[in-house]
Each structure stands twice: as C-alpha cells, then as structure tokens.
C-alpha cells in the first residue's frame, strides 16, 4: 500500500492507496503513530480517495488513531471515501465520530 | 436446491492470503446474477471471516491452514464455508455481539459485518478444535423479489 504524508500547520495529512485490510493494518498503524509523534501533529486528515477496500482491521486502525487524536484534544477527519468504503464507515458508525468530507480542502477549512 | 457449481481451496494462515481469499470468492461469485456492490459485500464478508481465523483462531500463527468452500445453488444462492482448526470460541453468543472483541484494540465488527451482508450465518466451534463459519446469501432478481 502506498502512503503519502503531508503536514499543513499542525495537521498531518495521510493519503492511503490500495486495500486497507489485516495485512496493511499494522504497518499503517505504526506509520501514523510515528508521524503523529515526530511531527507533533495535533489534527489528522485521513485521505481515503484511493482506497478501494476497507474491512474491520482497517477500521480498527482508524478508530484507534481517532482515540489518540482525541487525547491530544485535536480533530480527525476522513476525506474522499469512495462509495464502497463510505458504506462501511457508515455501517460501523465511524462517521458519527469522525466527520467525512469530500476533499482535503473542505476538511482544512474547519 | 441443486448445486450448480462449487469451489474448494485451502491456504496458509498468512495475512497476505486475506486479499487472495476474498478476490477468489469474489471472482467465483461473479457467476451469479448480481451487482458489483453485491460482490464487494461478499468480499468484505470473506475478509472478516478469514481475518477472524488468523487473528483469533490461530492467534496470528502463520503456519496453519484455512479452508474455504463456496457453492452456488440454483443460479441465485451463494454459500460460503470458512473453516479453521484453531483455538475455537468458548462463548459463541458473546463473540457474535456487536462491539465485542477478545482483543481490546479491535472493534468487534467482524461478525456484525458478516451478519449484515448475508441472509444466514451459522457458527460452529469447539474450543481446541476450531471454528467453521457458514454464510449464505441469495441474489434474487428484482422481478422475482416482487412477483
């Protein structure tokens, strides 16, 4: 899975690509946690535009990062989720905790 | 119900094989008269069941065996059996509850997703012997559903 990172002020943007399942979950979890620590980021935007699949292993990583961001009193947003991914986010109720936006620009305005 | 087609395969309990398993079942299920969304849901269900076998059944041991049998009945029903020979489940009812997980870092959504995207789910498990999950889903054509 390709991962792109970008830092805008105190917001870390993570762009994921591919399938977000058990195989990728641990690697992505570790990488996001390292970057949150290194960059002293307070907020997190997870860009799922190029993610074609997510299951409960991926959702576990997302919700775990949400809890970390909350501890820092920061905000977390998910952007660009494709319909197939958005359905899973909605069914799991994650969308009630982490707001979904169309793109990074919209989330950065908040 | 007559069997129209079936496929059986087994593989090692490696996380790499989760995507392989769901792609195989998805490709097989595409013989049915169903939508791309339906196939995505089938793939999710397989992903959850196989991940459960690896994480819970085999406690992440990667040298174990997982078996999958997929059967198509009468052009419209898909049955999937996912079997492991792992530690089994002590309390099936508890394991099937939404948000319950034996691992606090996980969300306990696996069985919830399997139930949401299938018509029937049966879990057979014996501690020390393993777990089989049988999932069934029918894809009726709209004309039949409203006939």
């Amino acid at each position: 899975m390709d991962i792109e990172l970008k830092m805008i002020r105190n917001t870390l943007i993570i762009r994921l690509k591919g399938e977000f399942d058990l195989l990728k979950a641990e690697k992505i979890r570790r990488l996001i946690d390292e970057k949150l620590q290194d960059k002293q980021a307070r907020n997190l935007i997870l860009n799922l535009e190029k993610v074609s699949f997510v299951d409960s292993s991926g959702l576990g990583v997302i919700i775990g990062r949400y809890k970390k961001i909350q501890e820092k009193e920061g905000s977390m947003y998910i952007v660009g989720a494709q319909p197939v991914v958005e359905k899973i986010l909605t069914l799991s109720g994650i969308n009630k905790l982490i707001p979904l936006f169309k793109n990074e620009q919209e989330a950065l305005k908040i | 119900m007559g069997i129209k087609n079936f496929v059986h395969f087994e593989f090692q309990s490696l996380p790499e094989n989760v995507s392989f398993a769901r792609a195989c079942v998805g490709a097989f299920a595409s013989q049915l008269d169903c939508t791309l969304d339906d196939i995505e849901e089938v793939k999710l269900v397989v992903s959850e069941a196989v991940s459960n076998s690896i994480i819970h059944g085999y406690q992440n041991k990667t040298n174990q065996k997982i078996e999958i049998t997929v059967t198509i009945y009468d052009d419209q029903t898909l049955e999937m059996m996912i079997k492991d020979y792992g530690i089994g489940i002590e309390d099936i009812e508890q394991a099937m509850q939404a948000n319950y997980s034996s691992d606090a870092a996980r969300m306990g959504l696996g069985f919830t997703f399997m139930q949401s995207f299938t018509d029937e789910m049966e879990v057979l498990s014996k501690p020390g012997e393993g777990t089989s999950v049988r999932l069934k889903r029918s894809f009726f054509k709209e004309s039949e559903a409203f006939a």
Side-chain angles (χ1 to χ4, degrees):
Chain A
M1 184 173 232
D2 294 324
I3 300 164
E4 266 179 42
L5 300 150
K6 198 176 169 184
M7 193 74 192
I8 295 182
R9 292 184 300 275
N10 56 358
T11 299
L12 177 67
I13 300 174
I14 309 246
R15 296 175 187 142
L16 302 177
K17 195 176 168 187
E19 299 189 313
F20 195 2
D21 67 359
L22 180 64
L23 179 64
K24 317 288 166 53
E26 182 52 29
K27 188 182 160 203
I28 293 170
R29 186 193 62 75
R30 219 178 314 126
L31 187 120
I32 297 179
D33 284 354
E34 271 171 28
K35 294 297 165 193
L36 283 175
Q37 183 82 26
D38 289 357
K39 310 266 183 199
Q40 292 292 307
R42 189 157 171 252
N43 308 314
L44 178 65
I45 294 178
L46 200 55
N47 187 331
L48 302 182
E49 206 179 316
K50 291 184 177 151
V51 171
S52 55
F53 178 87
V54 67
D55 65 10
S56 65
S57 297
L59 296 184
V61 173
I62 296 177
I63 204 78
R65 292 334 96 209
Y66 167 74
K67 285 178 186 163
K68 284 211 158 185
I69 292 289
Q70 264 208 321
E71 281 167 19
K72 295 183 179 191
E73 295 182 345
S75 302
M76 180 169 169
Y77 308 106
I78 293 174
V79 305
Q82 300 298 320
V84 60
V85 170
E86 194 178 335
K87 182 160 75 179
I88 304 303
L89 296 172
T90 308
L91 188 73
S92 64
I94 279 186
N95 62 325
K96 288 179 193 151
L97 301 171
I98 310 170
L100 308 184
F101 288 95
K102 266 197 200 125
N103 53 45
E104 290 173 11
Q105 289 71 29
E106 273 191 25
L108 281 166
K109 275 189 218 155
I110 301 294
Chain B
M1 270 199 307
I3 293 176
K4 204 203 159 206
N5 196 0
F6 79 91
V7 66
H8 175 86
F9 61 106
E10 57 184 55
F11 52 90
Q12 212 177 312
S13 54
L14 281 163
E16 284 84 344
N17 287 337
V18 179
S19 65
F20 167 76
R22 68 170 174 264
C24 279
V25 179
F28 185 71
S30 64
Q31 295 172 22
L32 286 151
D33 189 9
C34 58
T35 65
L36 283 177
D37 275 1
D38 292 333
I39 299 287
E40 284 302 321
E41 290 173 8
V42 164
K43 283 162 76 177
L44 177 72
V45 159
V46 174
S47 205
E48 298 300 343
V50 174
S51 298
N52 268 355
S53 288
I54 295 175
I55 303 163
H56 302 293
Y58 292 131
Q59 312 269 287
N60 295 309
K61 276 194 236 108
T62 57
N63 57 349
Q64 306 296 307
K65 185 171 80 172
I66 297 169
E67 292 175 8
I68 296 187
T69 307
V70 195
T71 311
I72 294 174
Y73 294 97
D74 294 340
D75 273 332
Q76 56 189 23
T77 301
L78 186 73
E79 185 186 67
M80 297 164 271
M81 276 279 269
I82 296 98
K83 187 173 171 60
D84 69 59
Y85 299 90
I87 60 163
I89 304 169
E90 286 284 350
D91 186 342
I92 296 179
E93 221 173 292
Q94 185 188 42
M96 282 165 68
Q97 273 170 21
N99 305 321
Y100 171 80
S101 178
S102 53
D103 177 348
R106 300 188 57 83
M107 283 182 81
L109 280 169
F111 277 126
T112 308
F113 284 161
M114 285 186 245
Q115 264 171 327
S116 301
F117 294 125
T118 56
D119 303 317
E120 266 179 65
M121 177 172 90
E122 187 180 29
V123 182
L124 300 170
S125 189
K126 254 195 177 167
E129 289 183 19
T131 303
S132 291
V133 181
R134 192 179 63 87
L135 300 148
K136 213 168 183 178
R137 174 154 170 187
S138 292
F139 303 92
F140 294 108
K141 290 179 196 121
E142 254 176 57
S143 55
E144 286 167 348
F146 295 101

